[in-house]
Amino acid sequence: MINIVLFGPPGSGKGTQAQNLIHKFNLKQISTGDLFRYNIKNETELGKLAKSYIDKGELVPDQVTIDMLTEEVKKPTEAAGFIFDGFPRTAAQTEALEKIVKEVLNDEISICLSLVVDDEILVKRLLKRGETSGRSDDADENIIRNRIKEYYAKTAEVADLYKKQGKYVEVDGVGDINDISEKLYTEVEKVK
Ligand code: AMP
């Protein structure tokens, strides 16, 4: 199996690149942000709880997020591996993911691909996305800046953990979408 952690601040193009990686390598995508939005739309208890954090640009508590992710990993799939998009975002989540992948899939994380994009470009991209996405957390520049700040504050430790394992690879996330995809494919091929 190939199990990819796709890493990058909000607006770095994770969603777009995840789609390309899925098709290229036949992967199942698990996006914790999408799962939360699905729950919010369906007004579940989990959705109500998540919304109170998401609307402020804060992270949803670890245990809630880990439990939700575990349920997804356990679902049967024909895919050749997983792409984790937006998870893990904390050290506790990183450790939990390692355990889940080992216990449920009898496997390990192959690589952590990190998309690197300058903050000001992120803010511009997210405000533009907010014009059409309908996402409350894309509409306000202060919330956007808080999400980016929160990302760097909490996820530095995630990057460190993957660096220690020699699995952390940075890719420039600015430029032509297909060129960026090609760079990501090359990195995945190396660990396949
Ligand atoms: P995203 O679509 O990945 O940008 O996520 C949108 C929002 O969902 C984030 O700003 C967080 O509030 C919440 N969220 C998504 N993934 C996680 C996670 N792994 N841990 C905690 N909160 C998350």
Side-chain angles (χ1 to χ4, degrees):
M1 284 182 103
I2 319 166
N3 298 305
I4 302 172
V5 168
L6 187 59
F7 202 68
S12 59
K14 284 195 305 283
T16 308
Q17 294 302 336
Q19 286 310 313
N20 290 349
L21 286 160
I22 289 165
H23 290 119
K24 176 83 179 169
F25 297 107
N26 182 27
L27 304 174
K28 177 175 176 179
Q29 177 190 22
I30 300 185
S31 157
T32 40
D34 283 351
L35 289 170
F36 284 134
R37 283 184 287 277
Y38 177 84
N39 277 279
I40 291 171
K41 202 170 148 220
N42 289 286
E43 295 178 355
T44 66
E45 281 308 309
L46 172 62
K48 281 179 209 156
L49 176 78
K51 192 173 179 346
S52 64
Y53 294 92
I54 292 177
D55 280 353
K56 288 184 274 184
E58 289 172 9
L59 291 185
V60 179
D62 276 338
Q63 203 50 54
V64 178
T65 310
I66 291 166
D67 290 348
M68 179 179 74
L69 179 109
T70 307
E71 288 311 306
E72 283 301 308
V73 175
K74 281 184 181 165
K75 289 181 183 165
T77 174
E78 298 286 308
F82 285 86
I83 181 155
F84 298 97
D85 167 4
F87 185 100
R89 271 168 147 107
T90 64
Q93 290 182 12
T94 312
E95 279 150 27
L97 181 62
E98 194 154 323
K99 206 164 149 239
I100 296 159
V101 170
K102 189 158 191 238
E103 283 173 9
V104 181
L105 307 172
N106 194 22
D107 209 336
E108 58 178 51
I109 295 298
S110 320
I111 189 168
C112 171
L113 293 168
S114 174
L115 291 166
V116 181
V117 178
D118 178 79
D119 284 4
E120 293 312 309
I121 297 178
L122 295 174
V123 173
K124 271 194 208 132
R125 283 187 184 176
L126 290 168
L127 283 171
K128 189 148 193 287
R129 183 172 81 182
E131 289 169 13
T132 52
S133 71
R135 280 178 57 169
S136 55
D137 58 348
D138 281 347
D140 182 305
E141 184 165 339
N142 288 328
I143 293 176
I144 288 175
R145 289 198 184 271
N146 194 38
R147 285 163 64 201
I148 296 171
K149 199 174 104 222
E150 180 96 338
Y151 172 84
Y152 287 115
K154 298 256 170 77
T155 54
E157 55 191 17
V158 178
D160 284 346
L161 286 167
Y162 287 118
K163 274 179 200 163
K164 267 191 208 141
Q165 298 180 5
K167 291 180 178 170
Y168 183 80
V169 179
E170 286 189 344
V171 170
D172 185 355
V174 184
D176 180 78
I177 290 174
N178 292 326
D179 290 347
I180 299 167
S181 299
E182 287 299 332
K183 284 188 249 172
L184 295 172
Y185 299 161
T186 305
E187 296 302 333
V188 175
E189 292 290 353
K190 287 184 200 166
V191 295
K192 242 179 99 183

